[in-house]
């Protein structure tokens, strides 16, 4: 049977493996395998909520092995480390127990006929001194969890240490004024109110957490329209979040950051949300061409330029959008590319051809806490964009996650999960406290 291997079970890879499993796998036309270094999937745009403690990762993650069982594909855990195009195999590193370091699975080789790379992206520190050592990036559920615990610990220490009864302020610096930095700053401000209910913030303070958002470029949200950026800046100001733009961070220290203009911003916790690149492993793959962000260069069928049997999608793919632009690294792009490849790979096996991939920008939304979001809708669909704000925008933002869940888990399971999460809210604290 034709072997299709999808590497990376994120926003795009999991949707693709699920669709291929439901069609080709269920009918015995192809053997579909999903590879991921982790045993579970968490939709990446939820990470800022995990970091702020407002969303429990354990409740929202999907187990790959169960997903594979339900959708007729196979799941193999392991880190993709190499490619051998001559023998059509990929190399996977060993799997080790997170607690005691014992080897669970050895290094292995996995054969493929068609390979899809869906490895997503990783943090890019751009060589800024001290950034790797003294910041917490927000790229994986483990990092989001680390940030949450650090925040909780710092809030506990600072609200308790002062003998005069006045708690000390916690200083948080967020480097990067893109969607991740903006969403995280708003979520932290929202959760701060909840912290005081559980004794994690001195009650007499208006703001126990001082939040500074630093952006190197001239404005927030450089990838979105000026209108959205302006509306966001106004809302962040209302939330007492300090925004510094046009002043790149040049040095990160254990107690804060230094900007090019000489400003020192004190920070108990510094978060890096300033840029991404595709994983380093892609740089050294057997003849596969990548750009300077390590993204695999693909044509408009999402095929790598060097090998027609190797495809790439999502954040790790460099695919032309217009003559001047490339498809942006967004969940909606990964979703559209997964839908396209599910059809294209099926057609390819049947000896048919389909129209090339075309990215449609449906607009962007940025979440600003539980009751608000801001963004533009429709984008390329109507050739312009409509600015939306407030609760409607927030509901639409939340619907994006439910849409992803419906695509991977099915509408019935998505609704069941929604109900369970609603019920959990009535019995659990609003912030994860341990
Ligand atoms: C905090 C945050 C908020 C965001 N908010 C939004 C938003 O509001 N809207 C939006 O459109 N986009 C948002 N994004 C971007 C969006 O999450 C990504 O564009 C999207 O997840 C990309 O999907 P992907 O399938 O390419 O990769 P990912 O979803 O990142 O998945 C990659 C998968 O590959 C696996 N993997 C990586 N390396 C290896 C390896 N070597 N071996 C095996 N497995 C590997 C990972 O474990 C992961 O499961 C946000 C991102 C972050 C971090």
């Amino acid at each position: 049977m034709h072997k299709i291997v999808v590497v990376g079970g994120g926003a795009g890879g999991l949707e693709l493996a699920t669709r291929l499993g439901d069609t080709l796998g269920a009918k015995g036309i192809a053997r579909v395998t999903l590879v991921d270094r982790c045993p579970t999937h968490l939709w990446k745009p939820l990470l800022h909520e995990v970091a702020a403690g407002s969303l429990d990762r354990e409740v929202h993650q999907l187990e790959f092995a169960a997903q594979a069982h339900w959708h007729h594909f196979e799941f193999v855990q392991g880190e993709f480390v190499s490619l051998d195009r001559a023998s059509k195999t990929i190399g996977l590193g060993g799997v080790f127990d997170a607690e005691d370091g014992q080897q669970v699975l050895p290094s292995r080789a996995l054969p493929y006929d068609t390979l899809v790379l869906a490895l997503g992206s990783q943090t890019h520190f751009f060589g800024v001194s001290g950034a790797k050592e003294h910041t917490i990036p927000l790229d994986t559920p483990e990092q989001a969890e680390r940030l949450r615990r650090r925040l909780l610990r710092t809030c506990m220490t600072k609200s308790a240490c002062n003998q005069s009864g006045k708690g000390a302020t916690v200083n948080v610096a967020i480097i990067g004024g893109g969607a991740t930095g903006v969403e995280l700053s708003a979520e932290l401000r929202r959760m701060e109110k909840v912290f005081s209910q559980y004794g994690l913030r001195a009650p007499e303070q208006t703001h126990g957490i001082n939040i500074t958002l630093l952006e190197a470029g001239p404005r927030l949200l450089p990838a979105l329209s000026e209108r959205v950026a302006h509306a966001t800046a106004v809302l962040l100001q209302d939330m007492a979040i300090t925004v510094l733009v046009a002043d790149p961070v040049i040095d990160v220290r254990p107690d804060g950051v230094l900007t090019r203009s000489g400003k020192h911003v004190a920070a108990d916790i510094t978060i890096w949300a300033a840029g991404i690149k595709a994983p380093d492993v892609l740089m050294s793959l057997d003849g596969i061409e990548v750009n300077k962000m390590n993204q695999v260069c693909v044509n408009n069928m999402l095929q790598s330029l060097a090998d027609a049997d190797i495809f790439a999608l999502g954040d790790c793919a460099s695919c032309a959008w217009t003559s001047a632009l490339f498809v942006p690294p967004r969940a909606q792009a990964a979703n559209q590319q997964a839908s396209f490849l599910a059809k294209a790979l099926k057609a390819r096996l049947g000896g048919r051809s389909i129209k090339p991939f075309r990215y449609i920008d449906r607009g962007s939304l940025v979440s600003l806490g539980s009751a608000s979001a801001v963004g533009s809708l429709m984008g390329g669909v109507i050739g312009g964009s409509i600015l939306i704000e407030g609760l409607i925008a927030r509901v639409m933002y939340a619907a994006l996650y439910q849409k992803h869940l419906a695509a991977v888990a099915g509408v019935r399971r998505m609704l069941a999960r929604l109900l369970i999460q609603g019920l959990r809210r009535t019995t659990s604290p609003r912030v994860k406290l341990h």
Side-chain angles (χ1 to χ4, degrees):
M1 229 194 297
H2 188 91
K3 296 182 280 298
I4 302 177
V5 175
V6 180
V7 190
L14 184 58
E15 283 194 29
L16 177 63
T18 303
R19 284 174 196 268
L20 291 176
D22 284 341
T23 50
L24 304 178
K27 290 185 187 142
I29 298 170
R31 188 167 158 186
V32 181
T33 305
L34 175 68
V35 174
D36 203 288
R37 59 184 172 196
C38 307
T40 57
H41 161 83
L42 184 77
W43 197 52
K44 221 172 170 181
L46 298 179
L47 288 184
H48 66 280
E49 292 178 59
V50 175
S54 51
L55 186 140
D56 189 344
R57 165 193 175 188
E58 303 290 328
V59 177
H60 286 261
Q61 64 193 5
L62 289 176
E63 277 160 338
F64 286 126
Q67 181 74 7
H69 168 68
W70 291 324
H71 294 277
H72 314 282
F73 65 87
E74 200 182 326
F75 171 62
V76 173
Q77 191 181 347
E79 174 136 8
F80 168 64
V81 289
S82 61
L83 168 72
D84 184 344
R85 282 166 56 207
S87 65
K88 288 197 146 197
T89 53
I90 58 167
L92 303 183
V95 176
F96 298 87
D97 188 287
E99 282 193 359
D100 59 16
Q102 291 274 330
Q103 192 177 70
V104 182
L105 292 169
S107 304
R108 290 141 294 156
L110 192 70
Y112 70 84
D113 294 308
T114 301
L115 178 67
V116 182
L117 300 170
L119 296 163
S121 53
Q122 66 183 39
T123 302
H124 197 348
F125 291 107
F126 300 104
V128 172
S129 117
K132 213 171 175 176
E133 296 77 14
H134 306 303
T135 67
I136 303 181
L138 195 55
D139 214 24
T140 64
E142 291 71 29
Q143 289 166 349
E145 198 49 31
R146 192 174 141 223
L147 177 52
R148 185 189 69 79
R149 284 198 305 270
R150 178 82 187 275
L151 188 70
L152 209 59
R153 202 175 63 215
T154 312
C155 284
M156 280 173 86
T157 312
K158 290 257 174 167
S159 64
C161 69
N162 198 326
Q163 296 302 315
S164 67
K166 288 194 191 289
T169 303
V170 175
N171 293 312
V172 176
I174 301 173
I175 305 171
T180 303
V182 167
E183 288 183 342
L184 180 65
S185 59
E187 193 65 15
L188 288 181
R189 180 59 84 225
R190 176 171 90 89
M191 291 322 290
E192 179 204 25
K193 291 191 192 121
V194 184
F195 282 3
S196 62
Q197 295 167 0
Y198 303 105
L200 293 170
R201 198 195 89 194
E204 80 283 357
Q205 290 172 302
T206 320
H207 289 303
I209 305 181
N210 235 336
I211 304 170
T212 308
L213 185 59
L214 299 108
E215 165 59 38
R219 65 166 168 91
L220 290 176
L221 300 171
L224 303 189
S225 73
E226 200 130 11
R227 261 195 320 165
V228 174
H230 178 70
T232 304
V234 172
L235 288 165
L236 292 184
Q237 199 178 4
D238 289 349
M239 292 181 203
I241 291 167
T242 309
V243 177
L244 301 177
V245 294
D247 198 4
V249 169
I250 53 164
D251 191 20
V252 185
R253 298 161 182 182
D255 63 346
V257 304
L258 185 70
T259 67
R260 185 176 288 162
S261 71
K263 210 171 275 158
H264 180 262
V265 178
D268 300 296
I269 301 173
T270 305
I271 299 151
W272 187 267
I276 55 163
K277 60 177 180 177
D280 291 338
V281 63
L282 296 172
M283 270 193 308
S284 54
L285 291 186
D286 196 4
I288 297 295
E289 193 182 322
V290 293
N291 65 10
K292 61 178 192 300
M293 278 170 66
N294 299 346
Q295 291 172 307
V296 177
C297 301
V298 295
N299 61 21
N300 57 10
M301 297 305 285
L302 305 186
Q303 247 162 344
S304 70
L305 302 185
D307 191 323
D309 291 329
I310 300 181
F311 295 76
L313 65 78
D315 286 6
C316 78
S318 167
C319 175
W321 176 14
T322 62
S323 56
L325 295 172
F326 285 84
V327 175
R330 294 201 194 139
Q332 64 165 311
N335 161 269
Q336 289 180 31
Q337 292 180 331
S339 303
F340 169 81
L341 270 188
K343 289 189 202 122
L345 296 184
K346 198 171 149 203
R348 196 169 182 247
L349 278 184
R352 288 172 287 114
S353 59
I354 69 164
K355 279 192 201 155
F357 173 73
R358 199 165 69 86
Y359 173 63
I360 299 170
D361 177 17
R362 299 203 156 88
S364 301
L365 289 169
V366 180
S367 162
L368 295 172
S370 70
S372 185
V374 62
S376 60
L377 279 191
M378 306 299 218
V381 183
I382 56 166
S385 64
I386 305 164
L387 183 78
I388 57 162
E389 278 185 60
L391 192 57
I392 295 176
R394 182 66 184 108
V395 170
M396 293 181 101
Y397 182 90
L400 295 176
Y401 172 48
Q402 300 310 330
K403 187 169 171 268
H404 169 70
L405 266 187
V408 294
V411 175
R412 206 163 38 90
R413 283 203 179 91
M414 180 272 280
L415 290 173
R417 277 176 162 263
L418 205 59
L419 182 68
I420 293 166
Q421 282 148 23
L423 290 174
R424 265 184 67 93
R425 258 187 229 133
T426 59
T427 56
S428 311
R430 284 171 60 207
V431 62
K432 196 173 174 208
L433 293 165
H434 62 280

